[in-house]
Amino acid sequence: MLLLRLWNYIKGYVIIIVEGYFLEKFVNICTKRQIYLWDIRKLKNSKISLKISIKGFKHLRPVARKTRCRVRIVEKRGLPFIVSRYKERKTFVLGLAVFVVLFYIMLSFVWTIEITGNENVETQVIIDYLDKIGIRPGILKYRINTEKVANNVVIGINQLSWVSVTVKGTKLKVNVAERTEVPEIVPKDIPCDVVAAKDGVIESLIVKDGYSLVKEGDTVKEGDVLISGSIPILNEDSFRTVHAMGEVMARTWYESRQQIHLNVKEKIKTGNTKNNVTFLFFKKTIPFFHKKVSYEEYDKEEIKKQLSIGENLVLPFGIIVERYHENRVVEGKVSIEEAKEAAIDAAYEEILSLMPEDSQIKDTRIDFFEDSNGIMYANVIIECIENIGITKKIGGN
């Protein structure tokens, strides 16, 4: 049914109204003469509406005369009438045709690259590597082997463990998963020791396999053997090697020293802004009345907008607006208590970024002192309990 409607539209048809007292005879004669009629609707006792092809309409006059019916065109539909309507406007039709062709050609290229899934690896690093292997805005979509590109990116960027590349519309979508760095684990069939990953004081020791060389309360340094995989054989001058295993909990300390600032600077927006506009035209950028920014202090904001149809049909045209917000720097003083709190917070933030997530904080010590130059500092020391044991091959580095 849909194909038949499309075919009728391409060939063209008219909607007509037929008036007379011999409407049934009119339809029968058309049928016998193979004049195709459809969508016949009765309007009144002496009037019907119907659709007929252009070719059929040309053979309708003898039938109308024979049945004494009047035929009136209500509407003309189809491609032939559209062409006829615009045949006198050749420039418009030519321009429209050129536009359609150019638009189709533009849809054959990739004009933007979208990176998702990355947290630690910068987006620009991935885009730069894609550019290095020839994948950049302006490349033909049909030249992109997505599977090959994904494999190249995984091999070329060590921090990535998985990459998916798809082309949708004029957008290349790259979805990545980052590699999780795990400590080297010695296989259980290889003899090894358990050594200290950092300095500390042994709090508790659980030996699952191997020979303990330390006890609770011992002070150890990074690299010291805690549980040996070389077990001496009784009454013999030899050793049996095993894969040492155990949990060694130790007290460790983290320290951070931060300067106490009584004089602070604060930026306040004045409300004054300046915009510099740049037009994007394919790969070129065209500055539009760029002005020198006279602000001494400012924050810069970049807004990029590309012309698009939906989410995935991004076209190579757009604008970049560089917006400058003027700031006024205000200097002021804070109380000694506020300055100390700010320094302590900064110290805590630094220490917590270094501590393992599964460590337990046991004690915190905060000291304040002044150096020979009169500069005040806050010194924060956090004591925690954590597992410091890591495996190391016997005889390995």
mmCIF file of all heavy atoms in Angstrom, residues 312-333:
data_model
loop_
_atom_site.group_PDB
_atom_site.id
_atom_site.type_symbol
_atom_site.label_atom_id
_atom_site.label_comp_id
_atom_site.label_asym_id
_atom_site.label_seq_id
_atom_site.Cartn_x
_atom_site.Cartn_y
_atom_site.Cartn_z
ATOM 1 N N ASN A 312 23.854 13.652 16.570
ATOM 2 C CA ASN A 312 24.985 13.056 15.863
ATOM 3 C C ASN A 312 25.335 13.718 14.529
ATOM 4 O O ASN A 312 26.411 13.473 13.991
ATOM 5 C CB ASN A 312 24.710 11.561 15.621
ATOM 6 C CG ASN A 312 24.593 10.787 16.919
ATOM 7 O OD1 ASN A 312 25.342 11.016 17.853
ATOM 8 N ND2 ASN A 312 23.619 9.897 16.987
ATOM 9 N N LEU A 313 24.448 14.536 13.982
ATOM 10 C CA LEU A 313 24.748 15.221 12.711
ATOM 11 C C LEU A 313 25.330 16.598 13.010
ATOM 12 O O LEU A 313 24.624 17.601 13.026
ATOM 13 C CB LEU A 313 23.491 15.334 11.854
ATOM 14 C CG LEU A 313 22.999 14.050 11.188
ATOM 15 C CD1 LEU A 313 21.757 14.314 10.369
ATOM 16 C CD2 LEU A 313 24.086 13.431 10.308
ATOM 17 N N VAL A 314 26.610 16.624 13.283
ATOM 18 C CA VAL A 314 27.315 17.871 13.580
ATOM 19 C C VAL A 314 27.974 18.373 12.299
ATOM 20 O O VAL A 314 28.703 17.630 11.636
ATOM 21 C CB VAL A 314 28.373 17.659 14.683
ATOM 22 C CG1 VAL A 314 29.072 18.968 15.010
ATOM 23 C CG2 VAL A 314 27.725 17.078 15.934
ATOM 24 N N LEU A 315 27.714 19.640 11.943
ATOM 25 C CA LEU A 315 28.250 20.218 10.712
ATOM 26 C C LEU A 315 29.514 21.039 11.007
ATOM 27 O O LEU A 315 29.700 21.501 12.144
ATOM 28 C CB LEU A 315 27.187 21.088 10.048
ATOM 29 C CG LEU A 315 25.877 20.355 9.689
ATOM 30 C CD1 LEU A 315 24.882 21.316 9.084
ATOM 31 C CD2 LEU A 315 26.154 19.195 8.741
ATOM 32 N N PRO A 316 30.377 21.247 10.000
ATOM 33 C CA PRO A 316 31.659 21.929 10.233
ATOM 34 C C PRO A 316 31.545 23.448 10.272
ATOM 35 O O PRO A 316 32.396 24.156 9.757
ATOM 36 C CB PRO A 316 32.513 21.463 9.044
ATOM 37 C CG PRO A 316 31.527 21.250 7.952
ATOM 38 C CD PRO A 316 30.287 20.727 8.616
ATOM 39 N N PHE A 317 30.477 23.957 10.850
ATOM 40 C CA PHE A 317 30.292 25.401 10.985
ATOM 41 C C PHE A 317 29.919 25.703 12.434
ATOM 42 O O PHE A 317 29.234 24.916 13.093
ATOM 43 C CB PHE A 317 29.172 25.917 10.062
ATOM 44 C CG PHE A 317 29.255 25.412 8.661
ATOM 45 C CD1 PHE A 317 28.341 24.488 8.182
ATOM 46 C CD2 PHE A 317 30.264 25.849 7.823
ATOM 47 C CE1 PHE A 317 28.412 24.017 6.887
ATOM 48 C CE2 PHE A 317 30.345 25.378 6.526
ATOM 49 C CZ PHE A 317 29.422 24.460 6.062
ATOM 50 N N GLY A 318 30.366 26.818 12.938
ATOM 51 C CA GLY A 318 30.010 27.195 14.303
ATOM 52 C C GLY A 318 30.755 28.434 14.737
ATOM 53 O O GLY A 318 31.386 29.129 13.924
ATOM 54 N N ILE A 319 30.665 28.730 16.021
ATOM 55 C CA ILE A 319 31.361 29.886 16.591
ATOM 56 C C ILE A 319 32.032 29.494 17.900
ATOM 57 O O ILE A 319 31.603 28.558 18.579
ATOM 58 C CB ILE A 319 30.399 31.075 16.837
ATOM 59 C CG1 ILE A 319 29.296 30.665 17.828
ATOM 60 C CG2 ILE A 319 29.809 31.588 15.542
ATOM 61 C CD1 ILE A 319 28.446 31.831 18.294
ATOM 62 N N ILE A 320 33.092 30.207 18.215
ATOM 63 C CA ILE A 320 33.762 30.085 19.517
ATOM 64 C C ILE A 320 33.711 31.465 20.168
ATOM 65 O O ILE A 320 34.186 32.444 19.587
ATOM 66 C CB ILE A 320 35.221 29.623 19.372
ATOM 67 C CG1 ILE A 320 35.294 28.245 18.706
ATOM 68 C CG2 ILE A 320 35.908 29.585 20.737
ATOM 69 C CD1 ILE A 320 36.703 27.786 18.419
ATOM 70 N N VAL A 321 33.140 31.521 21.345
ATOM 71 C CA VAL A 321 33.052 32.775 22.089
ATOM 72 C C VAL A 321 34.016 32.703 23.267
ATOM 73 O O VAL A 321 33.879 31.844 24.141
ATOM 74 C CB VAL A 321 31.616 33.046 22.585
ATOM 75 C CG1 VAL A 321 31.571 34.353 23.377
ATOM 76 C CG2 VAL A 321 30.637 33.103 21.419
ATOM 77 N N GLU A 322 35.011 33.576 23.273
ATOM 78 C CA GLU A 322 35.927 33.702 24.413
ATOM 79 C C GLU A 322 35.417 34.850 25.281
ATOM 80 O O GLU A 322 35.478 36.008 24.868
ATOM 81 C CB GLU A 322 37.353 33.967 23.930
ATOM 82 C CG GLU A 322 37.949 32.802 23.158
ATOM 83 C CD GLU A 322 39.332 33.134 22.621
ATOM 84 O OE1 GLU A 322 39.669 34.340 22.533
ATOM 85 O OE2 GLU A 322 40.080 32.202 22.284
ATOM 86 N N ARG A 323 34.914 34.502 26.446
ATOM 87 C CA ARG A 323 34.309 35.502 27.326
ATOM 88 C C ARG A 323 35.247 35.783 28.505
ATOM 89 O O ARG A 323 35.678 34.861 29.201
ATOM 90 C CB ARG A 323 32.956 35.003 27.827
ATOM 91 C CG ARG A 323 32.176 35.973 28.676
ATOM 92 C CD ARG A 323 30.740 35.542 28.780
ATOM 93 N NE ARG A 323 30.097 35.579 27.471
ATOM 94 C CZ ARG A 323 28.953 34.939 27.195
ATOM 95 N NH1 ARG A 323 28.358 34.213 28.121
ATOM 96 N NH2 ARG A 323 28.426 35.039 25.992
ATOM 97 N N TYR A 324 35.560 37.055 28.700
ATOM 98 C CA TYR A 324 36.479 37.477 29.762
ATOM 99 C C TYR A 324 35.688 38.207 30.851
ATOM 100 O O TYR A 324 35.013 39.203 30.575
ATOM 101 C CB TYR A 324 37.572 38.390 29.202
ATOM 102 C CG TYR A 324 38.434 37.732 28.153
ATOM 103 C CD1 TYR A 324 38.053 37.738 26.812
ATOM 104 C CD2 TYR A 324 39.617 37.094 28.498
ATOM 105 C CE1 TYR A 324 38.832 37.123 25.849
ATOM 106 C CE2 TYR A 324 40.406 36.482 27.537
ATOM 107 C CZ TYR A 324 40.006 36.506 26.209
ATOM 108 O OH TYR A 324 40.789 35.897 25.257
ATOM 109 N N HIS A 325 35.766 37.690 32.088
ATOM 110 C CA HIS A 325 35.088 38.300 33.227
ATOM 111 C C HIS A 325 36.124 39.054 34.066
ATOM 112 O O HIS A 325 37.075 38.450 34.571
ATOM 113 C CB HIS A 325 34.411 37.238 34.097
ATOM 114 C CG HIS A 325 33.389 36.418 33.359
ATOM 115 N ND1 HIS A 325 32.069 36.786 33.258
ATOM 116 C CD2 HIS A 325 33.512 35.245 32.677
ATOM 117 C CE1 HIS A 325 31.410 35.877 32.560
ATOM 118 N NE2 HIS A 325 32.270 34.932 32.196
ATOM 119 N N GLU A 326 35.940 40.357 34.229
ATOM 120 C CA GLU A 326 36.889 41.154 34.998
ATOM 121 C C GLU A 326 36.747 40.853 36.492
ATOM 122 O O GLU A 326 35.637 40.734 37.018
ATOM 123 C CB GLU A 326 36.653 42.644 34.754
ATOM 124 C CG GLU A 326 37.690 43.523 35.467
ATOM 125 C CD GLU A 326 37.402 45.002 35.315
ATOM 126 O OE1 GLU A 326 36.213 45.368 35.120
ATOM 127 O OE2 GLU A 326 38.355 45.798 35.392
ATOM 128 N N ASN A 327 37.903 40.743 37.161
ATOM 129 C CA ASN A 327 37.936 40.527 38.606
ATOM 130 C C ASN A 327 38.636 41.684 39.300
ATOM 131 O O ASN A 327 39.544 42.309 38.731
ATOM 132 C CB ASN A 327 38.681 39.225 38.947
ATOM 133 C CG ASN A 327 37.941 37.998 38.471
ATOM 134 O OD1 ASN A 327 36.712 37.965 38.494
ATOM 135 N ND2 ASN A 327 38.672 36.986 38.029
ATOM 136 N N ARG A 328 38.205 41.948 40.496
ATOM 137 C CA ARG A 328 38.884 42.932 41.344
ATOM 138 C C ARG A 328 39.484 42.178 42.531
ATOM 139 O O ARG A 328 38.791 41.437 43.229
ATOM 140 C CB ARG A 328 37.889 43.985 41.831
ATOM 141 C CG ARG A 328 38.511 45.080 42.704
ATOM 142 C CD ARG A 328 37.558 46.268 42.802
ATOM 143 N NE ARG A 328 36.233 45.868 43.235
ATOM 144 C CZ ARG A 328 35.847 45.821 44.519
ATOM 145 N NH1 ARG A 328 36.701 46.132 45.474
ATOM 146 N NH2 ARG A 328 34.623 45.469 44.833
ATOM 147 N N VAL A 329 40.800 42.326 42.703
ATOM 148 C CA VAL A 329 41.496 41.611 43.768
ATOM 149 C C VAL A 329 41.426 42.444 45.048
ATOM 150 O O VAL A 329 41.853 43.603 45.077
ATOM 151 C CB VAL A 329 42.960 41.328 43.395
ATOM 152 C CG1 VAL A 329 43.671 40.607 44.532
ATOM 153 C CG2 VAL A 329 43.026 40.501 42.119
ATOM 154 N N VAL A 330 40.892 41.820 46.076
ATOM 155 C CA VAL A 330 40.753 42.496 47.370
ATOM 156 C C VAL A 330 41.667 41.797 48.370
ATOM 157 O O VAL A 330 41.605 40.573 48.533
ATOM 158 C CB VAL A 330 39.290 42.460 47.854
ATOM 159 C CG1 VAL A 330 39.175 43.124 49.224
ATOM 160 C CG2 VAL A 330 38.377 43.141 46.855
ATOM 161 N N GLU A 331 42.532 42.583 49.011
ATOM 162 C CA GLU A 331 43.421 42.034 50.038
ATOM 163 C C GLU A 331 42.819 42.291 51.419
ATOM 164 O O GLU A 331 42.254 43.347 51.677
ATOM 165 C CB GLU A 331 44.804 42.664 49.954
ATOM 166 C CG GLU A 331 45.552 42.327 48.674
ATOM 167 C CD GLU A 331 46.988 42.827 48.707
ATOM 168 O OE1 GLU A 331 47.390 43.377 49.754
ATOM 169 O OE2 GLU A 331 47.682 42.664 47.693
ATOM 170 N N GLY A 332 42.951 41.288 52.252
ATOM 171 C CA GLY A 332 42.416 41.443 53.603
ATOM 172 C C GLY A 332 43.159 40.566 54.582
ATOM 173 O O GLY A 332 44.043 39.784 54.205
ATOM 174 N N LYS A 333 42.832 40.702 55.842
ATOM 175 C CA LYS A 333 43.447 39.911 56.894
ATOM 176 C C LYS A 333 42.409 39.016 57.539
ATOM 177 O O LYS A 333 41.239 39.369 57.630
ATOM 178 C CB LYS A 333 44.082 40.821 57.947
ATOM 179 C CG LYS A 333 45.440 41.366 57.561
ATOM 180 C CD LYS A 333 46.137 41.955 58.772
ATOM 181 C CE LYS A 333 47.581 42.323 58.440
ATOM 182 N NZ LYS A 333 48.312 42.770 59.629
#
